[in-house]
Amino acid sequence: MTMPENSFTRIRYEVPRERVARITLARPETRNAQDYQMLHELDTAFQRATLDDDIRVIILAGDGPHFSSGHDLRNTATGADFPPRNMTGGYAQPGQAGAMANEEEFYLGMCWRWRNIPKPTIAQVQGKVIAGGLMLVWPCDLIIAAEDATFSDPTVAFDLNGHEYHTHLWELGARKAKEMLFRGHALTAREGERLGMVNHVVERDRIEDFTLEIAGEIAQRPPFGLKLAKLSVNNALEAQGQHNALNSAFALHQAGHANARAVHDGFPVDPNGIDAIRRLSQI
Ligand code: ZN
């Protein structure tokens, strides 16, 4: 079988134990800020793990003190620079048309692809997970968090409705989802566990071993059964309208961007709210 290329510059792909693949964000100097190169590499790595019949479970981890500071605000690439994965096109169009096409390709399109990988996926997170960082964590099936992990989506500061993979409701419940968006504050790992967003909270120095242990246990189980179990839960979420709600929120998100570009030149309306992202990704 032909495998996708393995010349990664932003991530690492490893098989740390039998039947378990681990994909690691490897830009700790930017706190794993995601540019389009990183997202494209992630998609290639997820494809590789999905197509490899010897792999049954996929871990997504991040190097350094923080899992991800979100989207790299200095990204200058467009969808035209990479082989398309979602057949979107129109990346070089002016105005909101091109901006929406790029977000369809790299944000909503890729997150939805990863959410539907027919193998269990586990996010292993530590430190800060901000906005676009949540877009890598939430499509995973399980979330293992270090005690110091925090989760926030401060993008209302940009006059937006939240990041582009708008599953806040299903992750937190309606009231907590609204509060997270309205206040832009960070939820702790323990709060996430109490709300059902996080599966387990473990000490920072144990998280790698703990996650490998859980992954190894699941990898002993029959892969077709795992696929069917995942599909059954995911299909129920779709029966609740999750995919339609995601698309609807994405359309509102584009309205937010268009308004921000017209009125604020795309900059944050509330500079305090977004300052944390800038500071973190430029350390
Ligand atoms: Zn956006």
Side-chain angles (χ1 to χ4, degrees), residues 71 103 107 160 162-164 250 253-254 257:
H71 295 147
E103 294 207 342
Y107 299 161
L160 296 173
H163 63 71
E164 292 84 354
F250 185 75
H253 181 90
Q254 298 307 315
H257 273 314

Side-chain angles (χ1 to χ4, degrees), residues 95-107:
Q96 199 55 36
M100 179 171 171
N102 282 294
E103 294 207 342
E104 285 172 333
E105 169 70 14
F106 288 95
Y107 299 161

Side-chain angles (χ1 to χ4, degrees), residues 66-89:
H66 301 291
F67 178 81
S68 179
S69 57
H71 295 147
D72 191 337
L73 302 175
R74 293 159 297 180
N75 176 75
T76 54
T78 76
D81 299 319
F82 304 92
R85 295 284 163 76
N86 297 295
M87 299 298 286
T88 303

Side-chain angles (χ1 to χ4, degrees), residues 21-91:
R22 183 169 59 207
I23 302 166
T24 304
L25 313 177
R27 288 185 90 195
E29 68 282 2
T30 66
R31 303 319 187 210
N32 295 317
Q34 307 155 33
D35 58 6
Y36 286 176
Q37 177 72 31
M38 176 185 269
L39 293 170
H40 205 268
E41 289 184 10
L42 272 177
D43 193 69
T44 300
F46 276 126
Q47 270 194 47
R48 178 175 175 181
T50 301
L51 296 178
D52 186 344
D53 287 344
D54 292 333
I55 297 299
R56 295 193 184 175
V57 178
I58 307 166
I59 296 170
L60 178 64
D63 281 342
H66 301 291
F67 178 81
S68 179
S69 57
H71 295 147
D72 191 337
L73 302 175
R74 293 159 297 180
N75 176 75
T76 54
T78 76
D81 299 319
F82 304 92
R85 295 284 163 76
N86 297 295
M87 299 298 286
T88 303
Y91 309 113

Side-chain angles (χ1 to χ4, degrees), residues 167-240:
T167 55
H168 305 64
L169 164 66
W170 280 275
E171 301 295 346
L172 306 169
R175 292 196 193 287
K176 288 291 187 181
K178 288 174 184 170
E179 184 179 0
M180 178 194 220
L181 292 164
F182 294 168
R183 294 177 64 195
H185 70 306
L187 291 174
T188 65
R190 290 284 176 206
E191 285 173 312
E193 184 184 38
R194 186 168 51 77
L195 295 168
M197 180 186 76
V198 168
N199 290 82
H200 299 282
V201 181
V202 296
E203 295 88 1
R204 176 69 172 263
D205 58 4
R206 282 187 59 229
I207 188 168
E208 186 176 322
D209 289 345
F210 184 88
T211 305
L212 270 177
E213 218 171 280
I214 298 273
E217 179 194 321
I218 295 172
Q220 299 307 310
R221 314 211 69 208
F224 191 49
L226 292 170
K227 170 181 171 168
L228 298 182
K230 176 167 179 169
L231 267 176
S232 298
V233 176
N234 279 359
N235 290 350
L237 293 171
E238 284 170 61
Q240 293 174 343

Side-chain angles (χ1 to χ4, degrees), residues 72-144:
D72 191 337
L73 302 175
R74 293 159 297 180
N75 176 75
T76 54
T78 76
D81 299 319
F82 304 92
R85 295 284 163 76
N86 297 295
M87 299 298 286
T88 303
Y91 309 113
Q93 293 290 312
Q96 199 55 36
M100 179 171 171
N102 282 294
E103 294 207 342
E104 285 172 333
E105 169 70 14
F106 288 95
Y107 299 161
L108 185 58
M110 287 193 182
C111 288
W112 189 248
R113 280 160 62 80
W114 304 337
R115 180 263 199 197
N116 291 320
I117 290 169
K119 299 180 180 184
T121 53
I122 305 176
Q124 171 192 312
V125 303
Q126 78 285 355
K128 291 188 166 62
V129 184
I130 302 177
L134 294 170
M135 295 175 60
L136 303 184
V137 172
W138 284 354
C140 290
D141 298 313
L142 308 186
I143 300 175
I144 313 286

